[in-house]
Amino acid sequence: MIRKFLAATFVAIIALSAQARTDINFIWPYAPSHGATPVFFPVLAEANNMQDKYSFVFESRPGADGLIAINHMNTQPANRVVVIAPGFVDLALQGKINEGDYNHLVGFGDMCFAVWMKNADPSKGFESIKDQGEITIGNVGWGNGSHLIALSVAEKYNMKVRNVVFKSNREGLVNLAQGGGVTLVVDKLDAFNDLRDKATVQANPAAVTCTQRVKAWPNTKTLAEQGIQAKAPWLIVSANKAMPADVQREITEILNQAISKVGSDKIMELSNLHPVVFHKNKNVDDFYKERATLQKTLLKKYQPIIDADRGVTK
């Protein structure tokens, strides 16, 4: 009887082991309050529901322009992937990471954000703030998409830039609303809605980072329409090359299918993020190359300013 019980128990353990999922930690380089965070929960939930081999676990590791998140992934590369953003390119140029150590799996896309500026006139855009003389940007790092947008605007209108680092763009926007000194923050299209009534300083969109104007703001121009070369911040899921190649392929397939099932409209609703998976004839490597090439050009152009400004933190 005991032997039968032990045998049955052993079979049950084997069956459970066969069904056990492998955890894949999805490392997010920003605070949970970041504007694009909400999109990942339904995508990861869909990814977990559609298969039983992997369990995707969201983990926030903000700070240091994404270096903390990347290093955290690197300590266990077989079971972790990381979301990279424009800061990844700056880290590579600084020699803090080796760009060739990583494979890019899934392009989540470009963020369609507003460039919120102190007392901006949405219909006049950056022309309405050119006499301010200086841009103080509330940001989460240096050399990232938001920083390059501010530097591009400042160059066009002969302004100075001061980059102040917060834990999240949201904190920078709160600082602007409270009159703390910040004058520019790149964040979600609705980011200022709950601040406006109590704000001592008002912010309006001087531009949108989208490729075309937003229906809700037909008079607010895009960056490109205003002659600003810098692009919207972007997000890509990447893995250390030490992760087994078959696991990388499977994760890529699962996440792309999950994004498709969640749908472009839902992703835009949650985070104003236009998914690359819906871009025709574009794969993630092409997407990264396009964005990184432009960013490297801008970083080299503005490097002296960025280096001089890196000591300004909050």
Side-chain angles (χ1 to χ4, degrees):
M1 189 62 143
I2 294 176
R3 287 182 179 177
K4 287 183 179 181
F5 174 77
L6 290 175
T9 302
F10 179 74
V11 170
I13 291 173
I14 293 297
L16 287 172
S17 297
Q19 296 173 9
R21 295 186 178 208
T22 299
D23 282 350
I24 300 294
N25 283 37
F26 191 92
I27 314 301
W28 177 237
Y30 300 117
S33 59
H34 188 275
T37 304
V39 74
F40 293 103
F41 297 117
V43 170
L44 295 183
E46 185 62 47
N48 286 330
N49 290 336
M50 63 188 287
Q51 48 79 45
D52 57 11
K53 185 172 183 178
Y54 300 107
S55 179
F56 292 93
V57 181
F58 183 88
E59 184 177 355
S60 175
R61 294 276 175 166
D65 283 357
L67 184 59
I68 291 173
I70 293 169
N71 286 341
H72 182 62
M73 175 190 67
N74 290 341
T75 62
Q76 198 174 332
N79 296 94
R80 291 173 180 165
V81 294
V82 68
V83 179
I84 67 167
F88 176 89
V89 180
D90 186 41
L91 292 171
L93 289 179
Q94 292 181 63
K96 294 183 178 181
I97 59 171
N98 182 1
E99 196 175 15
D101 287 345
Y102 305 92
N103 286 330
H104 307 304
L105 308 184
V106 179
F108 266 82
D110 294 309
M111 297 184 202
C112 183
F113 278 1
V115 182
W116 294 100
M117 294 201 71
K118 174 183 175 181
N119 298 330
D121 183 334
S123 63
K124 295 180 179 179
F126 297 125
E127 286 284 338
S128 67
I129 55 85
K130 65 181 181 181
D131 294 332
Q132 292 182 10
E134 179 176 289
I135 295 172
T136 300
I137 176 175
N139 201 0
V140 294
W142 291 273
N144 56 19
S146 297
H147 198 182
L148 292 177
I149 288 171
L151 288 167
S152 299
V153 173
E155 180 186 26
K156 181 174 181 179
Y157 295 104
N158 194 28
M159 303 172 75
K160 295 180 179 179
V161 173
R162 180 171 178 260
N163 190 57
V164 183
V165 176
F166 295 83
K167 290 182 180 179
S168 68
N169 287 352
R170 173 68 178 181
E171 290 186 7
L173 201 58
V174 170
N175 178 283
L176 189 161
Q178 294 176 347
V182 169
T183 62
L184 182 152
V185 178
V186 179
D187 208 338
K188 292 179 65 176
L189 303 180
D190 62 355
F192 205 73
N193 288 4
D194 63 333
L195 300 174
R196 192 170 296 282
D197 288 345
K198 295 182 179 179
T200 57
V201 174
Q202 290 298 323
N204 293 308
V208 291
T209 67
C210 328
T211 56
Q212 59 187 16
R213 297 191 189 190
V214 178
K215 290 181 179 179
W217 299 339
N219 295 323
T220 302
K221 297 177 182 178
T222 67
L223 291 173
E225 286 180 304
Q226 300 186 64
I228 303 303
Q229 189 180 12
K231 295 287 187 182
W234 44 265
L235 299 175
I236 291 175
V237 180
S238 300
N240 189 299
K241 287 185 175 178
M243 173 179 273
D246 60 328
V247 176
Q248 293 186 46
R249 287 192 298 270
E250 290 170 349
I251 289 175
T252 299
E253 183 178 353
I254 291 167
L255 290 178
N256 273 325
Q257 289 180 10
I259 292 171
S260 295
K261 287 189 176 182
V262 172
S264 181
D265 290 343
K266 187 64 175 178
I267 288 175
M268 283 292 290
E269 175 189 335
L270 290 170
S271 69
N272 299 308
L273 184 70
H274 186 73
V276 178
V277 74
F278 295 102
H279 292 189
K280 292 182 179 179
N281 302 319
K282 187 184 292 293
N283 63 46
V284 66
D285 289 323
D286 290 339
F287 177 69
Y288 175 77
K289 185 177 180 180
E290 287 178 8
R291 297 299 182 268
T293 298
L294 173 61
Q295 190 174 350
K296 288 174 183 177
T297 300
L298 294 176
L299 283 170
K300 290 176 182 177
K301 181 179 183 179
Y302 298 126
Q303 202 64 58
I305 301 173
I306 294 171
D307 288 343
D309 206 24
R310 284 187 189 274
V312 181
T313 58
K314 190 175 182 71

